[in-house]
Amino acid sequence: MSAELIFVEDFKKEAKKKVSPFGWGYYSAGSVGEQTVHENCEAYKRWRFRPRLLRYVSEVDISTTVLGSNIPFPICIAPTAHHAIACAEGEVETAQAAESLGTGMALSIYSNRTMEEVAHQAPKGTKWCHVQIVRNRDLIKHYVKRAEKAGYNGFIVTIDQAVLGNRHHRYPDGTSFAFKQLHPSTNLLESTKHFMPHMNEIRAFLHLTDGTTEWDSLDWLRSITKLPIAVKGILTSEMALKAVEHKVDGIIVSNHGGRQLDGTFASIDSLPEVVKAVNGRCDVYFDGGIRKGTDIAKAIALGAKAVFVGRPILWGLICGGKEGAQRVLEILRDELVTTMQLLGVKSLDELQTTPDLVVHESYLFSKL
Ligand SMILES: Cc1cc2nc3c(=O)[nH]c(=O)nc-3n(C[C@H](O)[C@H](O)[C@H](O)COP(=O)(O)O)c2cc1C
């Protein structure tokens, strides 16, 4: 891996050169006009720091817990599909990167390696299983029981994929969703084979996006597992209150990296509304557009307990497999520490509770 890869954006540029045009398109695409993909990154610029200086910041503690598991820094790996496009061992390398640093990884239901293979090859790491709940509950129950047996630490239920978003990205073969070029989602197929033996990749995927999931699906999931449950895809106070009502352990504020409904608010702009509605009744986590330590500091100051990172991990895997993903996490971790020192805070708690440490740019004018 090149020594010149020192910022996350370097990994992005290098990854684009190294991966196939199909792979680049699949990983980077959003839906429709990609307004939300773009805004997810741009919106951080509208949130500004108001530092407190001359405070002791020589030692900074950034350890926290996510769904009850201890992690040394508040940056985890978001569930993203199809890591075999990026590196030979696919999600096994991703999990090993997280494990080597002691942080957590969410394994996508569409992963190219099964949850059992990943657990076997990264046994010590904190791992959560991503799941979507559909009409065929036997299938999902089978998947949930596999995850429990393999030692996963909890479930992340994605709720913003009732159907697949309208992807306008055009692949080199002229199609807008190049299913045929994807490696099989062996993780999902390991469960579908028991219930729908003739199901292929495309049908299995479409089965999981059949628009049948409703809020009571969370109660059903709760009834079949004791592991913690986080719901991913919350963007509004209305949805946050529903999630609290259904007794989830955590909420992930997310718009799926702009791949589902285009035209939502940027993820970071949605965070304060959700945090306020939840009012401490469950953990709030966050993803979307994180590329720098300053982005993470802003998310935590606005109420997130920890953040999840999507595309930057994929860029790391393309550039250097396990070591590449590990390096991306280290860069973000180290940048977060420096940002906190420059802000004058030495713990995540101080970052979150110091009043007006991060404010919307309109703050200045409202005070004049
Ligand atoms: C290639 C790709 C595949 C993804 N697959 C999934 C998935 O299987 N399940 C899911 O809940 N989210 C999925 N996501 C969304 C991520 O979990 C996360 O919400 C998003 O990537 C965060 O934005 P970021 O990429 O700007 O960090 C995917 C995102 C990408 C880029």
Side-chain angles (χ1 to χ4, degrees), residues 115-348:
M115 61 171 97
E116 291 84 0
E117 289 173 309
V118 169
H120 184 66
Q121 302 212 45
K124 296 203 199 86
T126 297
K127 294 174 288 296
W128 305 286
C129 244
H130 155 240
V131 62
Q132 284 168 222
I133 308 171
V134 286
R135 192 181 286 132
N136 190 329
R137 296 289 165 89
D138 291 340
L139 166 66
I140 301 303
K141 188 168 179 184
H142 183 265
Y143 181 83
V144 165
K145 294 297 153 190
R146 278 175 57 208
E148 287 179 344
K149 193 164 167 223
Y152 280 73
N153 303 84
F155 292 99
I156 293 184
V157 186
T158 293
I159 62 166
D160 57 12
Q161 202 168 32
V163 295
L164 183 67
N166 288 315
R167 310 260 165 102
H168 286 192
H169 183 85
R170 190 68 70 189
Y171 289 93
D173 69 354
T175 65
S176 69
F177 200 93
F179 267 119
K180 273 184 265 163
Q181 296 192 47
L182 291 171
H183 299 251
S185 300
T186 46
N187 193 25
L188 168 60
L189 296 175
E190 183 62 31
S191 282
T192 57
K193 77 179 183 200
H194 297 281
F195 301 93
M196 302 153 183
H198 303 300
M199 196 156 254
N200 62 19
E201 175 74 20
I202 301 177
R203 288 186 51 227
F205 178 80
L206 293 177
H207 185 76
L208 279 204
T209 52
D210 66 358
T212 62
T213 316
E214 297 183 78
W215 284 103
D216 62 5
S217 312
L218 295 172
D219 306 332
W220 173 79
L221 181 61
R222 181 74 294 156
S223 75
I224 63 159
T225 184
K226 293 202 171 16
L227 290 178
I229 297 171
V231 65
K232 173 173 180 282
I234 301 282
L235 289 172
T236 64
S237 57
E238 293 87 343
M239 282 158 75
L241 291 174
K242 277 287 204 190
V244 169
E245 194 184 305
H246 288 272
K247 301 195 169 39
V248 297
D249 301 286
I251 280 174
I252 306 180
V253 172
S254 169
N255 54 33
H256 214 112
R259 290 165 79 84
Q260 285 297 104
L261 179 65
D262 194 31
T264 62
F265 285 114
S267 229
I268 194 73
D269 289 339
S270 305
L271 179 61
E273 169 179 338
V274 172
V275 169
K276 190 171 172 208
V278 169
N279 196 19
R281 285 173 290 176
C282 70
D283 286 347
V284 178
Y285 309 109
F286 173 83
D287 79 28
I290 285 178
R291 308 291 179 258
K292 304 183 286 293
T294 48
D295 300 338
I296 301 167
K298 287 176 185 178
I300 290 174
L302 292 175
K305 194 164 187 211
V307 303
F308 285 77
V309 181
R311 292 180 183 86
I313 297 297
L314 301 172
W315 304 331
L317 291 172
I318 294 168
C319 295
K322 172 192 158 184
E323 281 77 28
Q326 191 180 318
R327 190 73 204 110
V328 164
L329 287 167
E330 286 168 340
I331 291 168
L332 291 172
R333 177 196 65 194
D334 296 349
E335 287 185 0
L336 171 64
V337 170
T338 312
T339 306
M340 288 172 62
Q341 289 171 311
L342 294 173
L343 279 168
V345 293
K346 59 183 180 310
S347 69
L348 297 177

Side-chain angles (χ1 to χ4, degrees), residues 12 26 28 69 74 91 98 109 143 177 224 250 292 297 320:
K12 180 178 183 180
Y26 176 70
S28 47
S69 297
E91 291 79 7
I109 197 167
Y143 181 83
F177 200 93
I224 63 159
K292 304 183 286 293

Side-chain angles (χ1 to χ4, degrees), residues 56-96:
Y56 182 87
V57 288
S58 189
E59 286 126 51
V60 174
D61 178 10
I62 54 169
S63 61
T64 188
T65 59
V66 171
L67 293 179
S69 297
N70 294 318
I71 51 170
F73 53 91
I75 308 163
C76 303
I77 299 182
T80 54
H82 298 289
H83 293 192
I85 298 172
C87 60
E89 298 301 322
E91 291 79 7
V92 164
E93 296 195 50
T94 326
Q96 288 174 341

Side-chain angles (χ1 to χ4, degrees), residues 354-368:
T354 305
D356 294 341
L357 200 62
V358 169
V359 295
H360 191 261
E361 63 182 5
S362 56
Y363 172 96
L364 186 60
F365 305 104
S366 72
K367 298 280 163 188
L368 291 178

